[in-house]
Amino acid sequence: MESKYNPTDIEARWYQYWLDNKLFHSEVPGDQAQGTESKQAPYTIVIPPPNVTGVLHMGHVLNETIQDILVRRARLEGKNACWVPGTDHASIATEAKVIKRLKEQGINKSDLTREQFLKHAWDWTDEHGGIILKQLRKLGCSCDWDRTAFTMDETRSKAVIHVFCDLYRKGLIYRGLRMVNWDPERQTALSDEEVIYHDEHSKFYYLRYKVAEPGVTNPETGADYAVVATTRPETIFGDIAVCINPKEEKNQWLRGKHVIVPGVGRVIPIIEDRYVEIGFGTGCLKVTPAHDVNDYALGQKYNLRTIDIFTPDAHLNMDTVEPELQPNVRKYHGMDRFDCRKQIVEDLRAMDLVEKVEDYDNKVGYSERTNVPIEPRLSLQWFVRMQHFADIALPPVMNDDIVFYPAKYKNTYRNWLENIKDWCISRQLWWGHRIPAWYDADLLAQTGLEDYPEDKILVCEEDPNQMVNGTCPNGKWVQDEGALDTWFSSWLWPISLFDGIEHPDNKEINYYYPTADLVTGPDIIFFWVARMIMAGYEYLGKMPFKHVYFTGIVRDKLGRKMSKSLGNSPDPLDLIERYGADGVRMGILLSAPAGNDILYDDSLCEQGRNFCNKIWNCFRLVKGWEVNDQMVNDQMVNAQAIAWFEAKLGETEAEIADLFSKYRLSEALMAIYKLYTDEFSGWYLEMIKPAYQQPIDRPTYEATLAFFDRLLRLLHPFMPFITEELWQNIYERKAGESIMIATEHDNETATRRQRDDNETVLQAVENLKEIVSGVRNIRASKNIPPKESLTLCFAGADTYAYADLLRKLANVDLANDCTNANAAKFIVGTVEYAVPLDKFINVDEELKKLEADLAHQQGFLRGVMAKLSNERFVQNAKPEVVELERKKRSDAETRIAALQSAIQALKG
RNA sequence: GGGCGUUUAGCUCAGCUGGUUUAGAGCGUCUGCCCUACAAGCAGAGGGUCUGCGGUUCGAAUCCGUAAACGCCCACCA
């Protein structure tokens, strides 16, 4: 065996072995297992489906590693673990990629029919789709690949269409003309959740709106105009009124008047509404109902017309402006909205219609996907009524039927549900599930889409033109052009993966649902988590999962989000190549407590790799020993070591179980890490290690292999590859055996029974370790090599239970009394230990050390005495606390006395 | 503008309902070691008035109040 662990071949080999032996595969227990007690408990996780054309990034590594740990742990606990993988069609993101590729080939989307475009999209999906799933295998993910699903495959698509029709019939889906968030780049509506607001330094433009009535002037300034402040001067072409607050003193002179939109010439009325905030800006608000949500509301209230001045890609469309005003505005036709903003301000300035321009900080909404400023736009869209869903989804989280880790996200969740708005689910895209709504072709031709009567819309699962005895009164039906929001399929994921929408009582859904844990980022708590809970209760009357583990965001070590543009995101496959999958898994997990952002640094993977190497070498050491069946010497030492490590291992196993139950995975891994490096490797193996080229006795060897077996199983969920490799080599294994399913917990009950004994053993060995450290400390400070034997004197040395271990570990002889005054001394517990060192001792140094220790002890004693001499403490504190303080006092007094006599002796 | 969270060693974090020998871990730092399992290692050491202030209590990193800094989420002041 090499002295360094080399992961590459080993990982590939075992992953293939696991696949060959179908160890990731899960099935509903067969009918032969009818008896309830033989029915294996399920443990289910559904993967948050990555974008079908995506590639693995560090966020995935974190997320999928956590899921794999949970799944592998459950499998080792004997559960029927099922981790369902799949991908998401990600309509807007994928469509953008396809369009970009077509463009590179010189093809415009607008030149293609829907069918042609979809052909290209499917080609792309088949070509690049699932790359990310292949990458997950490199990480060691134990997904049941036989179940791989896609949000647009047949089962999932049917579920989506079914749910749309069902909700429409229940009155929970409606079509309406609303102000929506419009993405001018992709030319589609977005939901509120897909808009991200950024702070911006922009300008506040104060524009002059001349009063139409001649002779009317501002009584204070004499000006014949009203001043309107706006951040968006390019929208003045759509101005339809100016609104003032009826209570605002300074604008009273404008009541009932009209003003002229600057540079446009439209005469518009002054209207009055309390919505306008007194004291903000000039108190005059321009009302542009087609391009602002609030203005739209005002427009509705006062029955104002809307003038939509933008094309779908947010260029100026002057055709909508009145014919008589065309000469004034024609030059802006076809301009980009931001170019127009500059131009109109310049032009108005030239006409002396700009009062002033101020700096102004505001928030601008951007499209999450295309990163262009969204445009509020009036359009006909489909919506889900959300109040009903909020009502069914709030209670289970608030009363912890579904538990969030960390719990703080309960607040976020509640806040959103209590202020829920309807969900815009239609998108003007082709890649996605097409909305199953049909319009009568003849009627549509007469009315147009906007005025098409609501009650003549046909919503049904199948194409009405194909139906044999369809409900179509006559002629042809035309399908709605829109597709559905991707999340409208994602919210069904835990159900549709088991075909639970169309067949809600099937064997699989009944067995696997509700799933156990959901692992995801808090950024999609509204997009996905909340909506899955809604769908779960609506369609199965049950929660979709019992626990939600929110991961943090992976950042670089400077705390910056990882992004392509910063180039600070390492390629996970490259990391796996350099550190091994196990090393990367450990690296990403180490400082990732639930909900905390993780500051990623390569050095963490390095620590993971080093740990692998450590384990590898422990194994090398043990397997390198020659075993002697006749040997019985060293029994005392080894028996004590085994008893101690047995206790230590049992203690840590319990600790790990507790940490898992709290989803504190990084702490669990750290506990295992310390168990291996400190306790097992640093102490246990040193205790039992035979002298150079000496054999080891059979019982000790077997006990050590058994420990190794348990240690590997404990670590396996975190580091699957190296643990499988070593586990396979501890003993002869049969074909098809694997650590993945090594569920036996041999010594656990025995360990539990002896808990009290264990406590004694653990404490005794901790004491032993401190004595050994004391001696090593003296060696280090005096430059005495470990090979040189020393004498250690302390009271009761001749009856000390761990004398042999102490001799072996510290390389010392023991004596009861120290006759040599020149000795280095230290205290463990209340016992004084002395190492005679006449040729090395430096009296001044020793004195200094002892006096520092004495001062510390005396300070400590003062603190204890302060408490004990306080009557109120003795009266009020719990008796055991007082008792403890008394013990502290007597211990401290003993130590002080010992130190003082040691100092005396040195000075002596 | 609301709401939530964080602030403990150089870095990243534990420390749950106040009392466990006057605060712990990993990494990093410093010192000494290539001692045949491992230098991707071993042994040892140093390092914190627990963000400030005030309060409750016999006792506060821990509970309450307050200030500051940072972070996140939500919200239609043009």
Side-chain angles (χ1 to χ4, degrees):
Chain A
M1 266 172 100
E2 298 274 335
S3 74
K4 289 192 170 36
Y5 171 61
N6 184 357
T8 314
D9 298 341
I10 287 171
E11 289 174 2
R13 180 153 42 86
W14 290 117
Y15 202 87
Q16 193 56 47
Y17 178 86
W18 295 330
L19 288 176
D20 291 345
N21 288 285
K22 296 221 157 272
L23 293 171
F24 302 156
H25 185 63
S26 167
E27 275 174 27
V28 178
D31 294 333
Q32 67 271 26
Q34 259 173 351
T36 40
E37 67 239 290
S38 65
K39 191 176 178 186
Q40 213 185 351
Y43 175 88
T44 317
I45 290 189
V46 298
I47 203 168
N51 290 0
V52 65
T53 59
V55 291
L56 198 67
H57 62 238
M58 294 307 285
H60 295 124
V61 172
L62 172 64
N63 199 275
E64 313 305 347
T65 298
I66 290 167
Q67 289 172 72
D68 196 46
I69 290 166
L70 294 173
V71 167
R72 285 179 184 272
R73 171 86 182 177
R75 212 179 269 122
L76 277 171
E77 283 171 345
K79 295 187 183 134
N80 182 352
C82 181
W83 183 11
V84 189
T87 48
D88 190 294
H89 66 284
S91 70
I92 188 164
T94 306
E95 180 150 335
K97 284 184 190 169
V98 174
I99 289 172
K100 190 177 164 219
R101 183 163 82 155
L102 288 173
K103 207 170 239 165
E104 285 162 10
Q105 298 169 0
I107 305 171
N108 279 325
K109 182 191 169 191
S110 53
D111 297 338
L112 299 176
T113 65
R114 186 181 192 117
E115 285 63 36
Q116 288 170 328
F117 179 83
L118 287 177
K119 170 87 170 58
H120 284 290
W122 277 108
D123 286 349
W124 168 265
T125 301
D126 294 339
E127 206 177 307
H128 292 259
I131 287 180
I132 190 163
L133 298 183
K134 296 256 159 43
Q135 295 176 319
L136 291 183
R137 294 166 203 230
K138 290 259 188 278
L139 239 197
C141 295
S142 57
C143 305
D144 184 353
W145 300 109
D146 298 341
R147 294 177 176 273
T148 305
F150 179 44
T151 49
M152 268 182 33
D153 63 22
E154 197 185 342
T155 306
R156 265 50 66 179
S157 296
K158 278 189 172 166
V160 167
I161 300 307
H162 178 110
V163 164
F164 184 96
C165 297
D166 180 61
L167 294 180
Y168 183 79
R169 283 171 201 135
K170 287 174 180 163
L172 292 170
I173 282 182
Y174 64 92
R175 192 186 75 139
L177 186 67
R178 297 292 135 94
M179 192 62 93
V180 295
N181 308 295
W182 186 262
D183 178 338
E185 165 86 22
R186 200 68 311 118
Q187 300 182 34
T188 177
L190 300 175
S191 66
D192 295 341
E193 288 69 35
E194 287 164 290
V195 179
I196 300 180
Y197 289 88
H198 295 304
D199 284 313
E200 283 202 352
H201 302 296
S202 47
K203 303 279 183 200
F204 217 14
Y205 302 92
Y206 290 76
L207 308 180
R208 292 170 176 169
Y209 284 55
K210 299 253 187 199
V211 180
E213 286 77 4
V216 178
T217 57
N218 184 333
E220 280 177 43
T221 63
D224 62 345
Y225 51 80
V227 178
V228 173
T230 179
T231 52
R232 300 205 59 194
E234 73 277 17
T235 63
I236 59 172
F237 307 110
D239 283 1
I240 215 68
V242 165
C243 191
I244 60 171
N245 189 309
K247 293 262 165 66
E248 178 123 49
E249 296 283 329
K250 65 179 183 189
N251 288 328
Q252 291 295 319
W253 64 284
L254 287 167
R255 296 183 79 166
K257 304 289 184 296
H258 291 75
V259 291
I260 303 166
V261 181
V264 179
R266 181 182 302 130
V267 178
I268 57 174
I270 300 286
I271 61 170
E272 298 168 38
D273 194 279
R274 305 266 288 279
Y275 165 75
V276 177
E277 192 179 318
I278 295 175
F280 183 86
T282 62
C284 296
L285 171 72
K286 75 189 202 65
V287 182
T288 320
H291 301 292
D292 184 279
V293 187
N294 304 306
D295 293 13
Y296 181 66
L298 281 175
Q300 293 282 83
K301 194 167 169 184
Y302 296 100
N303 227 342
L304 306 173
R305 68 190 168 113
T306 58
I307 301 175
D308 184 348
I309 59 159
F310 289 127
T311 57
D313 62 348
H315 286 63
L316 277 289
N317 176 12
M318 290 299 140
D319 294 340
T320 58
V321 175
E322 300 88 325
E324 66 274 20
L325 302 176
Q326 283 288 335
N328 302 341
V329 300
R330 200 64 213 169
K331 64 178 285 201
Y332 305 105
H333 189 74
M335 277 180 108
D336 173 80
R337 53 187 162 156
F338 299 109
D339 295 339
C340 180
R341 181 179 302 176
K342 282 187 206 128
Q343 189 62 50
I344 186 82
V345 171
E346 202 174 297
D347 294 346
L348 293 179
R349 253 206 195 103
M351 288 184 268
D352 197 27
L353 291 173
V354 179
E355 178 96 352
K356 59 177 172 176
V357 180
E358 284 180 348
D359 289 332
Y360 187 70
D361 291 339
N362 66 342
K363 295 213 173 213
V364 178
Y366 281 76
S367 163
E368 189 208 21
R369 282 294 156 198
T370 61
N371 206 31
V372 298
I374 62 117
E375 196 60 58
R377 185 166 202 249
L378 199 56
S379 75
L380 196 61
Q381 304 289 346
W382 292 86
F383 296 87
V384 177
R385 272 183 229 288
M386 294 303 274
Q387 192 55 54
H388 161 72
F389 289 102
D391 292 342
I392 60 176
L394 185 56
V397 170
M398 294 324 289
N399 64 28
D400 285 334
D401 288 346
I402 299 170
V403 190
F404 283 6
Y405 299 87
K408 65 176 177 183
Y409 288 112
K410 277 168 79 172
N411 286 321
T412 311
Y413 182 82
R414 186 181 64 200
N415 205 280
W416 188 68
L417 287 183
E418 285 178 348
N419 298 289
I420 196 96
K421 302 223 188 68
D422 285 354
W423 175 15
C424 175
I425 51 170
S426 47
R427 299 287 179 277
Q428 285 58 54
L429 300 168
W430 282 343
W431 179 240
H433 303 96
R434 192 165 176 183
I435 293 170
W438 276 267
Y439 308 95
D440 180 300
D442 297 335
L443 186 54
L444 185 64
Q446 291 168 31
T447 62
L449 211 50
E450 285 192 18
D451 296 323
Y452 187 93
E454 196 74 32
D455 60 351
K456 292 284 193 294
I457 298 174
L458 183 65
V459 169
C460 66
E461 280 86 342
E462 287 162 76
D463 183 345
N465 298 306
Q466 308 293 321
M467 291 201 300
V468 183
N469 48 357
T471 45
C472 332
N474 57 18
K476 285 175 60 188
W477 292 90
V478 180
Q479 189 172 5
D480 193 292
E481 285 296 320
L484 288 163
D485 181 6
T486 298
W487 300 102
F488 194 83
S489 58
S490 314
W491 75 327
L492 308 176
W493 190 242
I495 307 175
S496 64
L497 282 178
F498 304 107
D499 200 13
I501 293 289
E502 296 230 88
H503 303 99
D505 204 21
N506 78 67
K507 201 170 70 171
E508 291 234 317
I509 193 83
N510 286 337
Y511 179 69
Y512 289 114
Y513 189 98
T515 68
D517 300 324
L518 177 77
V519 180
T520 191
D523 50 331
I524 53 176
I525 183 170
F526 308 136
F527 277 119
W528 196 44
V529 179
R531 289 170 182 160
M532 279 192 286
I533 295 171
M534 295 170 175
Y537 283 96
E538 180 71 14
Y539 283 96
L540 294 178
K542 272 187 277 188
M543 63 191 79
F545 29 71
K546 300 187 194 91
H547 311 271
V548 183
Y549 179 115
F550 289 106
T551 64
I553 294 167
V554 182
R555 299 171 178 279
D556 68 11
K557 65 175 169 182
L558 301 174
R560 302 173 304 181
K561 251 186 182 171
M562 289 197 166
S563 74
K564 266 187 202 160
S565 53
L566 275 175
N568 59 350
S569 178
D571 173 9
L573 295 184
D574 177 51
L575 292 178
I576 289 171
E577 190 120 325
R578 275 154 59 205
Y579 302 108
D582 290 330
V584 173
R585 289 166 66 114
M586 177 160 170
I588 197 77
L589 196 69
L590 262 188
S591 49
N596 278 25
D597 284 358
I598 92 147
L599 301 188
Y600 172 81
D601 185 58
D602 281 357
S603 70
L604 293 167
C605 291
E606 210 170 292
Q607 196 185 345
R609 179 200 58 181
N610 294 356
F611 182 41
C612 286
N613 207 46
K614 184 78 190 170
I615 304 164
W616 182 257
N617 278 293
C618 287
F619 184 82
R620 240 169 31 106
L621 173 68
V622 173
K623 287 304 262 192
W625 286 331
E626 182 197 336
V627 183
N628 184 330
D629 283 313
Q630 270 70 52
M631 214 166 75
V632 282
N633 64 342
D634 267 356
Q635 277 299 42
M636 186 58 179
V637 167
N638 290 358
Q640 282 181 328
I642 291 164
W644 165 71
F645 194 73
E646 176 70 47
K648 192 79 210 174
L649 184 52
E651 183 190 55
T652 312
E653 280 168 344
E655 185 191 343
I656 304 295
D658 180 58
L659 290 169
F660 260 101
S661 75
K662 295 171 181 153
Y663 294 82
R664 305 178 75 147
L665 305 188
S666 55
E667 282 177 58
L669 176 56
M670 184 49 73
I672 296 174
Y673 175 75
K674 283 193 270 189
L675 179 66
Y676 269 88
T677 55
D678 297 349
E679 309 298 351
F680 185 64
S681 169
W683 289 103
Y684 174 76
L685 290 180
E686 293 301 328
M687 287 175 185
I688 62 158
K689 193 178 188 174
Y692 181 53
Q693 286 194 329
Q694 294 299 302
I696 193 161
D697 64 280
R698 171 70 60 188
T700 303
Y701 183 69
E702 293 299 337
T704 305
L705 292 187
F707 286 149
F708 226 118
D709 191 279
R710 278 164 75 187
L711 284 166
L712 290 172
R713 279 186 280 136
L714 206 52
L715 180 61
H716 176 258
F718 300 90
M719 303 182 120
F721 293 109
I722 189 171
T723 49
E724 180 76 279
E725 168 72 14
L726 297 182
W727 188 86
Q728 293 283 349
N729 286 293
I730 294 177
Y731 304 114
E732 289 283 314
R733 304 287 182 188
K734 295 194 219 62
E737 269 193 295
S738 167
I739 189 173
M740 276 185 62
I741 47 170
T743 53
E744 73 277 12
H745 282 108
D746 35 12
N747 290 312
E748 218 171 52
T749 44
T751 308
R752 207 160 283 145
R753 216 172 296 129
Q754 310 163 343
R755 188 173 295 156
D756 290 343
D757 291 350
N758 286 347
E759 202 47 50
T760 316
V761 172
L762 288 169
Q763 266 175 23
V765 172
E766 285 315 304
N767 189 264
L768 166 70
K769 288 177 181 176
E770 278 188 61
I771 301 168
V772 173
S773 291
V775 177
R776 286 176 181 166
N777 194 349
I778 289 171
R779 285 184 192 279
S781 61
K782 306 280 183 291
N783 273 319
I784 306 169
K787 274 191 241 173
E788 188 166 334
S789 185
L790 296 170
T791 302
L792 179 64
C793 315
F794 60 99
D798 52 347
T799 55
Y800 181 56
Y802 290 86
D804 288 339
L805 270 175
L806 180 53
R807 285 192 196 95
K808 180 170 182 178
L809 293 169
N811 190 18
V812 286
D813 293 323
L814 302 188
N816 257 354
D817 301 303
C818 184
T819 48
N820 189 335
N822 284 345
K825 294 181 179 173
F826 61 93
I827 291 176
V828 174
T830 54
V831 179
E832 185 191 53
Y833 295 82
V835 178
L837 285 172
D838 29 9
K839 38 177 181 168
F840 294 106
I841 197 142
N842 176 328
V843 176
D844 286 347
E845 247 176 46
E846 285 309 306
L847 270 177
K848 237 174 156 179
K849 222 182 261 175
L850 291 173
E851 273 162 359
D853 196 7
L854 180 64
H856 178 258
Q857 293 298 340
Q858 283 168 333
F860 174 71
L861 181 61
R862 267 197 300 278
V864 176
M865 292 306 287
K867 277 190 190 176
L868 283 172
S869 57
N870 181 336
E871 263 178 53
R872 291 200 285 176
F873 169 73
V874 182
Q875 277 168 15
N876 295 331
K878 279 181 279 184
E880 54 273 29
V881 174
V882 178
E883 202 36 58
L884 186 72
E885 290 303 312
R886 292 211 169 103
K887 172 129 181 8
K888 281 190 201 170
R889 176 179 62 187
S890 77
D891 284 358
E893 282 167 351
T894 310
R895 271 171 296 174
I896 286 168
L899 283 166
Q900 280 168 337
S901 82
I903 290 169
Q904 253 351 353
L906 268 182
K907 283 181 174 165

